[in-house]
Amino acid sequence: MSGRFDAPDETSDVVIVGGGASGLSLAHRLTAVGSPTMTLVEAPDGPRRPPERTWCYWDQGTGDFDEAITASWSRLRIHATDGSQVTADPSPLRYHMLRSTAFERLVHSRLALSPGGRLLRATADTVRNTVDGAEVRCTGADGRTLTLRARHVFDSRPRRDLPPARTQLMQHFRGWLVHTDADRFDPTVADLMDFRVPQPAHGLAFGYVLPLAPDRALVEYTEFSRAPLTTSAYETALAHYSRDILELGVFTVVSAEQGVIPMTDGRFARRIGPAVHRIGTAGGATRPATGYTFAAVQRQSRAVAAALRDGRAIVPPPHGRRALAMDAVLLRALDTGRIDGPDFFTGLFRRIPPERLLRFLDGATSPWEEWGIGLRTPIGPMLRTAVELPFLPRRSHPAPRSGGNRR
């Protein structure tokens, strides 16, 4: 006799749904503070499990993820559309690259050492509030169903629909991990934005190069626009960038990664009922005008872990009101074409001390510093956009077809 049997229910204090950057980060923080019992639900091996991804962030000194960092850089470079360069030293900050596989190993090892920690490989089918907490119904790789019950559930899965917004763009990209037949890269400097690529009719495009060795690098093509490209279009753009602009010569593509990140001024709900909370991009952690996510995820994860340690469950706003207001203006100005994207970002790196600019992109600057930065932007178009924003309706926009945060 054969058949599929449901597994018995399991109970823990916290369930984290999703093993991406936000789910792994929260699990890591909870093991560090000696949390109560916790289950991290990750998709089993197969088509639902995402391929390896790259996450980048800047930090100073030693950090919590040092053993998982693939590479880091003390200098950042911007290439303007005319070929001129801006090289910035944001000391004491460094730019770090974290590969998802290495981050998973780090967090999984912490979970294995935590008395109350557990990793469950299963597909989360439904998440709902209950009278005394919340439950997550899962399906394992063997087809058995399991119900997880918890006091609090933190859901990092991508939303099916994005909240209504006045402006929505998408940051979409495809990258190659390349190995060249000769030394072509400077491992001491990362190319953050290379605007020498052909610019689209709407939005902006840039190359992105993270050198791992003189003959190895992650090379990406990125656009800020309203809709993603086809894979073949990304491949064509990457081939042109690698061969004609970077002049890499003969190279081998070792692996590829692709993703879409929403850039929207929609208002993200972080709490879905008394016991279910959204975290990461699903909870609004992505910076609307730049797509940066990883640093906000760390702030959010630290705050959630501290609150749970004190017997509370909160998911604080990942970005302050000033930062979101400024981003709404910039996003609208980019979308309308009132400002030239490549000139705008190149100008910021030319005119603003790099350490201050990176803190600004992370939302860690004072009002006085932000005022000074604002005076170095195209004031007329930005003011016109700021005046019209309150009168614009919030409308529904298509959600990204696939996710993948790289920053």
Side-chain angles (χ1 to χ4, degrees):
M1 181 177 179
S2 63
R4 190 187 74 182
F5 297 94
D6 289 349
D9 294 354
E10 295 187 4
T11 302
S12 57
D13 293 298
V14 173
V15 170
I16 302 170
V17 180
S22 55
L24 289 169
S25 297
L26 181 54
H28 183 270
R29 300 295 176 188
L30 290 177
T31 60
V33 299
S35 75
T37 54
M38 166 186 54
T39 300
L40 171 63
V41 181
E42 290 187 5
D45 293 334
R48 287 182 176 271
R49 189 163 181 80
E52 188 171 30
R53 293 144 291 166
T54 299
W55 300 312
C56 293
Y57 65 102
W58 37 74
D59 201 354
Q60 60 180 340
T62 57
D64 297 328
F65 312 134
D66 285 358
E67 62 189 89
I69 289 174
T70 301
S72 63
W73 301 269
S74 59
R75 293 190 298 155
L76 305 174
R77 185 165 53 201
I78 307 295
H79 296 265
T81 53
D82 62 4
S84 60
Q85 300 179 11
V86 181
T87 302
D89 178 359
S91 179
L93 300 176
R94 291 180 66 89
Y95 194 53
H96 301 299
M97 175 186 182
L98 196 64
R99 297 283 280 174
S100 60
T101 301
F103 194 30
E104 284 177 359
R105 283 197 301 266
L106 172 64
V107 176
H108 292 175
S109 67
R110 297 287 194 274
L111 280 172
L113 295 173
S114 174
R118 182 196 176 202
L119 172 65
L120 174 65
R121 289 291 181 84
T123 300
D125 300 314
T126 60
V127 177
R128 71 181 187 91
N129 290 275
T130 61
V131 174
D132 54 353
E135 69 174 27
V136 181
R137 290 189 61 83
C138 305
T139 303
D142 59 0
R144 293 198 305 168
T145 61
L146 172 67
T147 299
L148 304 176
R149 303 187 188 280
R151 294 172 56 197
H152 307 289
V153 172
F154 296 90
D155 191 352
S156 68
R157 295 173 302 169
R159 294 171 54 118
R160 294 180 182 273
D161 299 299
L162 294 176
R166 294 166 297 194
T167 311
Q168 179 177 306
L169 297 177
M170 298 180 188
Q171 180 180 151
H172 50 98
F173 58 91
R174 184 171 175 84
W176 288 341
L177 186 61
V178 302
H179 186 189
T180 57
D181 69 337
D183 292 351
R184 303 289 184 182
F185 304 106
D186 179 358
T188 67
V189 58
D191 288 311
L192 204 60
M193 288 181 162
D194 187 342
F195 293 114
R196 293 176 294 172
V197 299
Q199 295 299 311
H202 181 272
L204 61 94
F206 57 90
Y208 179 62
V209 181
L210 301 181
L212 307 177
D215 61 348
R216 289 188 302 119
L218 177 64
V219 178
E220 289 191 355
Y221 173 81
T222 300
E223 281 192 15
F224 292 3
S225 60
R226 292 176 181 169
L229 307 179
T230 63
T231 298
S232 61
Y234 289 120
E235 293 281 296
T236 299
L238 270 169
H240 169 69
Y241 181 54
S242 300
R243 296 189 175 111
D244 301 331
I245 298 177
L246 297 180
E247 299 181 342
L248 297 184
V250 178
F251 63 89
T252 302
V253 177
V254 179
S255 61
E257 62 181 69
Q258 186 169 318
V260 183
I261 304 169
M263 302 173 67
T264 169
D265 67 352
R267 297 166 178 166
F268 287 78
R270 301 184 307 280
R271 189 168 183 172
I272 311 301
V276 179
H277 314 264
R278 284 197 179 115
I279 58 173
T281 295
T286 297
R287 188 79 190 261
T290 63
Y292 282 105
T293 306
F294 196 83
V297 161
Q298 302 317 308
R299 290 195 299 269
Q300 198 175 61
S301 299
R302 282 191 292 266
V304 171
L308 287 172
R309 181 190 58 206
D310 297 336
R312 299 175 295 120
I314 60 168
V315 178
H319 303 290
R321 292 182 178 179
R322 290 198 319 273
L324 292 178
M326 290 184 293
D327 276 18
V329 173
L330 176 55
L331 197 64
R332 177 72 179 175
L334 287 171
D335 188 42
T336 58
R338 288 181 187 141
I339 63 172
D340 179 277
D343 287 349
F344 177 85
F345 286 108
T346 303
L348 288 182
F349 276 89
R350 279 186 173 139
R351 302 183 189 109
I352 300 168
E355 185 268 345
R356 184 184 306 166
L357 179 57
L358 296 191
R359 285 193 294 107
F360 171 73
L361 295 177
D362 268 351
T365 41
S366 67
W368 180 251
E369 288 174 317
E370 291 160 7
W371 174 259
I373 292 171
L375 293 177
R376 290 166 174 79
T377 65
I379 295 176
M382 299 294 274
L383 283 177
R384 177 185 171 189
T385 304
V387 168
E388 79 170 3
L389 266 181
F391 303 99
L392 296 176
R394 294 183 181 272
R395 299 180 293 108
S396 296
H397 296 267
R401 292 197 298 265
S402 62
N405 294 333
R406 68 182 169 96
R407 297 190 284 185

